[in-house]
Amino acid sequence: GFGAEEASLDAATTASLVELAGRCGAGLRTLVAGAWALLLARNSDRDEVTFGLVRSGRRGVPGGAAMIGPFATALP
């Protein structure tokens, strides 16, 4: 089956995670993706898991916000 879950973090916890990600030389998104990979691996009893992320690439392109059309990057 399928389901949905939602969680929120307070400002202090978020700031701590951003600081941890910075110390590791990564972004918060990368830290969350790593945590998701660990959760998937533990709950599926697998050593290796694969999942994908889709994100907008507009911020990296000068004038990207004014461009029309899909602008997505899919990362396995």
Side-chain angles (χ1 to χ4, degrees):
F2 294 92
E5 294 292 329
E6 186 174 317
S8 297
L9 301 175
D10 60 44
T13 302
T14 301
S16 294
L17 289 172
V18 168
E19 193 267 330
L20 172 63
R23 277 195 323 236
C24 296
L28 184 57
R29 177 180 292 145
T30 302
L31 191 70
V32 171
W36 181 245
L38 289 172
L39 182 70
L40 287 176
R42 288 183 182 168
N43 285 319
S44 64
D45 199 26
R46 304 276 183 182
D47 291 334
E48 297 181 12
V49 294
T50 302
F51 62 96
L53 301 172
V54 177
R55 64 185 220 67
S56 170
R58 292 185 191 278
R59 279 207 249 158
V61 176
M67 294 180 185
I68 298 173
F71 222 88
T73 303
L75 307 168

